Amino acid sequence: MRTLAYVLGAIVVLAIGLFVWALWMIKVPAVAVSSSDFGPELEAWFDARHGGRISQFNGAALVIHDGKVVVRKAWGLDGDGRALTADSQFRLASVSKSFTAAAILKLAHDGLLDLDKPVGDQIEDCPVKATPAQFLRHVSGVPDDYFERANPDEITTIGWVFDHVCSGSQSYEAPTEYQYNNTGYVFLAGLVKRVSGQSFESYLRQEVLAPLGMDKTRVWNLVSADDFANRATSFNDDGKMEPTNLDGVAGDGAVFSTLDDLANWVRFWRDDRLISRALKDRATGRGIGDGYHFGLNRNGDLISHNGAWLGARTYLGFKDDGADGDVVILLDNSSSIFVDDMASEIWTALEKG
């Protein structure tokens, strides 16, 4: 019996290895560029990524090159079998973090929050030693543990995560190294509520989204007051994916948006609307250098963030080289593992085009 167990175990390991190898072999091909006007070629490339036995992309894409929209289209269905469109509202997953950063920056812009002063010195009953800026840069020292600490039989909320961080914060010390931290961004959403007196969802809508005209963007989770009809549900090989007990939070995710609203979001980071240029430069790392700044990564002149949660696989990237800089937005709802590689191939084509 022991020998049989060993054999079965070896077969399972081999099967997993072959599966991983097969996925590795299915690479995203380069975008064939024959001219500077390559919109049709890029659209055909997306068509091929959606077709075939293994669909590499199911969702919506927006590509802007030299200030001109070359692709704005959707492919496939959502988890309920409805046809996706370029106006469908997709779960952004961790691309949402730039929205959390903007809410914190708006509080700082209005003089309600100091980015560089310890949180515990700015609010009562929460002796956190890290500053808002350290939370934004993922160097707060707060353990990223709300996934493990949450009660599986209850909906986890922003308030619960905020209280959890506050209750253990006295022993936290900010590290010197970057450690990606979802707990920290949920805490920031709770900080928005504590400082503003409004829910994170309400504050973001009233103080950031509405002034920017982003009426197709919103926070939605299991404790939101209402659902919305245009929400693109996600799926995997087993079918439609439903929210879990962890989907009562926001800040690290939970923003839904459209291609056009996200194009507006890119313009917001480039222009002088709503928040000072100095704060935006700090958020995007302009004049500071490469790395993770405030909800956004910088690599040279490319600013980006990706996301993965509950079947959503997302990417937003833009060049920090003027109002007409290139933009790539990919919103997949099919648990695809190819979205980041697709973005890389598109950027390579844009540089050639």
Side-chain angles (χ1 to χ4, degrees):
M1 292 299 293
R2 181 176 297 180
T3 300
L4 178 60
Y6 285 152
V7 171
L8 292 175
I11 292 174
V12 170
V13 170
L14 178 61
I16 293 174
L18 288 173
F19 177 73
V20 172
W21 176 82
L23 287 179
W24 181 81
M25 290 296 292
I26 304 172
K27 295 182 179 179
V28 175
V31 181
V33 178
S34 60
S35 68
S36 59
D37 184 20
F38 59 89
E41 295 169 322
L42 186 55
E43 186 169 319
W45 181 83
F46 272 106
D47 290 342
R49 305 287 68 72
H50 178 66
R53 294 180 63 185
I54 298 180
S55 179
Q56 295 180 336
F57 187 74
N58 186 93
L62 176 67
V63 179
I64 300 174
H65 182 49
D66 292 338
K68 176 184 176 182
V69 174
V70 293
V71 169
R72 178 185 177 275
K73 186 176 177 180
W75 292 260
L77 308 174
D78 76 353
D80 291 300
R82 300 173 300 182
L84 297 171
T85 74
D87 296 314
S88 295
Q89 291 167 276
F90 287 82
R91 179 186 296 276
L92 300 187
S94 284
V95 173
S96 303
K97 287 181 171 67
S98 63
F99 290 84
T100 307
I104 292 292
L105 293 178
K106 184 63 167 65
L107 290 172
H109 177 86
D110 292 341
L112 299 175
L113 191 66
D114 188 327
L115 295 179
D116 301 307
K117 187 176 181 180
V119 170
D121 293 344
Q122 301 189 65
I123 62 174
E124 296 180 352
D125 304 321
C126 188
V128 172
K129 297 178 181 180
T131 68
Q134 288 172 322
F135 277 100
L136 288 166
R137 293 190 293 112
H138 296 300
V139 294
S140 66
V142 170
D144 188 15
D145 62 357
Y146 90 84
F147 282 28
E148 296 80 14
R149 299 289 184 178
N151 185 338
D153 298 321
E154 297 179 357
I155 295 176
T156 308
T157 64
I158 294 173
W160 182 90
V161 175
F162 185 82
D163 291 342
H164 165 65
V165 172
C166 290
S167 66
S169 62
Q170 297 184 57
S171 61
Y172 300 160
E173 296 291 344
T176 57
E177 295 183 358
Y178 162 91
Q179 295 176 342
Y180 193 84
N181 193 318
N182 284 295
T183 301
Y185 266 75
V186 180
F187 175 80
L188 287 172
L191 185 61
V192 169
K193 179 179 180 180
R194 175 67 73 89
V195 174
S196 70
Q198 302 180 60
S199 70
F200 175 70
E201 182 174 349
S202 176
Y203 181 85
L204 186 66
R205 180 177 64 250
Q206 294 182 21
E207 299 296 328
V208 178
L209 301 176
L212 295 175
M214 296 178 64
D215 59 350
K216 297 298 189 298
T217 302
R218 63 163 295 177
V219 172
W220 183 86
N221 57 28
L222 291 177
V223 296
S224 296
D226 59 328
D227 202 343
F228 54 107
N230 205 34
R231 177 169 63 91
T233 53
S234 301
F235 61 92
N236 59 15
D237 291 340
D238 296 324
K240 179 181 176 181
M241 300 185 72
E242 299 289 355
T244 72
N245 69 296
L246 296 174
D247 289 296
V249 303
D252 60 340
V255 174
F256 287 73
S257 191
T258 66
L259 295 177
D260 292 343
D261 264 17
L262 288 174
N264 188 3
W265 191 235
V266 170
R267 291 194 296 272
F268 159 73
W269 289 110
R270 287 171 166 167
D271 62 30
D272 296 323
R273 286 178 294 170
L274 203 63
I275 295 171
S276 72
R277 184 70 263 164
L279 285 173
K280 289 183 182 179
D281 286 350
R282 190 172 177 188
T284 61
R286 180 183 292 176
I288 299 172
D290 291 353
Y292 199 102
H293 294 281
F294 294 174
L296 294 164
N297 286 288
R298 174 178 284 274
N299 182 8
D301 65 353
L302 175 61
I303 298 170
S304 67
H305 209 296
N306 61 1
W309 181 251
L310 206 67
R313 300 293 184 268
T314 58
Y315 174 87
L316 181 148
F318 61 95
K319 287 299 184 76
D320 188 25
D321 57 0
D324 292 332
D326 293 350
V327 179
V328 176
I329 299 170
L330 304 178
L331 306 175
D332 181 279
N333 68 325
S334 69
S335 308
S336 172
I337 64 171
F338 300 99
V339 170
D340 287 344
D341 289 340
M342 288 178 62
S344 179
E345 293 297 338
I346 294 168
W347 280 119
T348 298
L350 292 177
E351 291 169 0
K352 295 178 180 178

